[in-house]
Amino acid sequence: METADSFGCSLIVTGTARDETLGRLLLGTTVEKLARQARQPVLVVKTRPRKPYHDVLVATDFSPGSRQALRAALQLVPDANLTLFHAYDVPFQGKTVPDDAITRSFYKGAEQSALEFTAYTPELAGLTPTIVLEPGQPETVLSEYSFNHRSDLVVTGTHGRTGILRTAIGSVAERLLESLPSDVLIVRLSETE
C-alpha cells in the first residue's frame, strides 16, 4: 500500500493463495488487508488471464460506494458489457411465502432505486447497462448469476447500505470472493464521495 501510494498508482493487482490439500482458493491476510485498507481499487486475479475483460458484473446497492465502484469499473474496462446487479431483501423469504403484492412492491422499490441511480450517474450517459434485480442474499444470488452468465469480472464496493457492500469487507464478502469463479475488483469508498 505504501508503494502504491508513493508512486501514485491507481490500481493494485494481486492473486490468491491456493490450499493444495483442499484445492480451493484462499484470500489470505494480505488480500484481506488490501481490500480493507488500500486507497486504490484492488483487482483480485483468480485464474491466468486469457483475454480482456468483456462481461463485467457490478454489485450495487445504489449507494455512493456502489457509484464509486461503477466508476472504477468504467475506468478499467470502458468498453465492456456492463451489468448492474442488485440483490434486494424480501422479509420472511424462505420462512414463509410472501404475498405476491409484497414481493412486487419490493421489486418496484428496487427498480425505482435503479432508475434514480443510473439517472444520477453521469458516467452512464450514452451507455445501456443491463440491470438485474434479484430477491435474496447478495452473496448467494450474485455468485449464482455470475457463474451462470460467465462474468469475467465482478466489481464491488466495500461501503454501502447492506449485505456485501459494507464498511469492513466482512465474512460475507470474503465468502463471495472465495466462491466467485471470476476475478474481483474491490473498491473502497473514498472520503471525497
Side-chain angles (χ1 to χ4, degrees), residues 38-40 64-65 68-69 71 158-159 187-193:
R39 287 178 190 67
Q40 302 80 0
Q68 197 162 17
R71 288 176 179 146
T158 59
H159 284 62
V187 182
R188 275 189 60 217
L189 178 64
S190 72
E191 305 308 318
T192 60
E193 188 67 26

Side-chain angles (χ1 to χ4, degrees), residues 4-146:
D5 288 342
S6 67
F7 283 94
C9 298
S10 58
L11 179 69
I12 296 173
V13 181
T14 183
T16 56
R18 186 175 296 276
D19 182 330
E20 295 304 327
T21 57
L22 299 176
R24 67 184 187 110
L25 296 175
L26 302 171
L27 285 181
T29 57
T30 301
V31 176
E32 290 174 29
K33 284 181 185 176
L34 286 171
R36 283 189 182 107
Q37 299 172 6
R39 287 178 190 67
Q40 302 80 0
V42 176
L43 177 61
V44 180
V45 179
K46 298 183 139 197
T47 59
R48 179 175 293 176
R50 307 247 185 248
K51 60 184 174 64
Y53 296 125
H54 185 259
D55 293 301
V56 176
L57 181 62
V58 179
T60 182
D61 63 356
F62 310 123
S63 68
S66 294
R67 185 171 284 112
Q68 197 162 17
L70 171 60
R71 288 176 179 146
L74 289 170
Q75 287 178 347
L76 184 65
V77 282
D79 299 325
N81 292 334
L82 194 63
T83 300
L84 302 180
F85 185 95
H86 175 70
Y88 60 94
D89 189 32
V90 176
F92 310 112
Q93 190 172 19
K95 295 179 179 131
T96 63
V97 178
D99 181 271
D100 282 344
I102 293 172
T103 303
R104 275 194 309 277
S105 73
F106 280 97
Y107 177 85
K108 288 290 187 190
E111 187 176 49
Q112 182 61 38
S113 295
L115 291 171
E116 291 170 8
F117 181 81
T118 55
Y120 291 107
T121 306
E123 295 83 356
L124 290 175
L127 300 177
T128 53
T130 301
I131 297 175
V132 176
L133 308 170
E134 292 280 337
Q137 295 299 313
E139 70 274 17
T140 304
V141 293
L142 179 66
S143 293
E144 185 177 304
Y145 184 90
S146 176

Side-chain angles (χ1 to χ4, degrees), residues 32 35-36 157-160 163-174:
E32 290 174 29
R36 283 189 182 107
T158 59
H159 284 62
I164 60 172
L165 308 173
R166 56 189 181 185
T167 302
I169 189 168
S171 61
V172 172
E174 186 176 322

